[in-house]
Amino acid sequence: QVKLVESGGGLVQPGGSLRLSCVASGSIASIGAMAWYRQAPGKQRELVASITTGGNTNYANSVKGRFTISRDNAKNTAYLQMNSLKPEDTAVYSCKAIIQVVTRLYDYWGQGTQVTVSS
C-alpha cells in the first residue's frame, strides 16, 4: 500500500512564507514526476508546480518567481517553498506522484493541506 502525506499548511499573512512537504511511503519501487496542485473554493484544480526525477521543474505563471518545488529522492519527499504569499494563493494544496509499484505505474494523490493567506 502506498500513501502520500502532505504537511506544512496553515494560516499566514500576505507576504509571508510556508513550506509544504509531501512524503511517499509504502511498497514503492520508484517515484517518477511529482507535482503540487491546488484548488480554491469554487474553482477548478490547477497545477502549481511539477518536478521530474532529474530535477526539471515547471511552474504556473501565477507562482513563478515566488514558489520553488524541490525533491529529495532518498527521502521520497517533495517540497513546495512558497514565498511572497498572496490572498489568491489560498487553497487546498495536494501532492501527486507517479509511483512504480512492482512493475506498474500509478498516480497517487495525497489528502491535501489547507493554505490560507489572510491578514
Side-chain angles (χ1 to χ4, degrees):
Q1 185 177 5
V2 174
K3 287 196 312 181
L4 291 183
V5 178
E6 301 102 333
S7 62
L11 173 64
V12 63
Q13 292 187 341
S17 298
L18 283 175
R19 188 192 196 207
L20 306 183
S21 299
C22 170
V23 182
S25 63
S27 301
I28 298 170
S30 66
I31 301 177
M34 301 182 79
W36 288 95
Y37 287 76
R38 68 185 180 186
Q39 187 167 22
K43 294 188 176 181
Q44 287 190 326
R45 183 168 60 194
E46 63 171 344
L47 174 65
V48 176
S50 63
I51 184 167
T52 66
T53 304
N56 292 319
T57 58
N58 182 55
Y59 296 93
N61 287 334
S62 58
V63 307
K64 280 182 183 176
R66 300 188 298 122
F67 290 11
T68 302
I69 189 171
S70 61
R71 64 190 289 168
D72 184 333
N73 293 328
K75 295 182 179 179
N76 290 343
T77 301
Y79 305 96
L80 186 67
Q81 178 66 45
M82 305 186 293
N83 299 328
S84 302
L85 282 161
K86 304 175 181 180
E88 51 264 41
D89 294 318
T90 296
V92 175
Y93 285 71
S94 300
C95 175
K96 175 190 166 185
I98 300 173
I99 297 177
Q100 181 182 352
V101 179
V102 189
T103 60
R104 297 187 65 178
L105 296 176
Y106 299 89
D107 284 351
Y108 284 93
W109 289 85
Q111 82 288 351
T113 185
Q114 176 70 45
V115 171
T116 302
V117 184
S118 175
S119 55

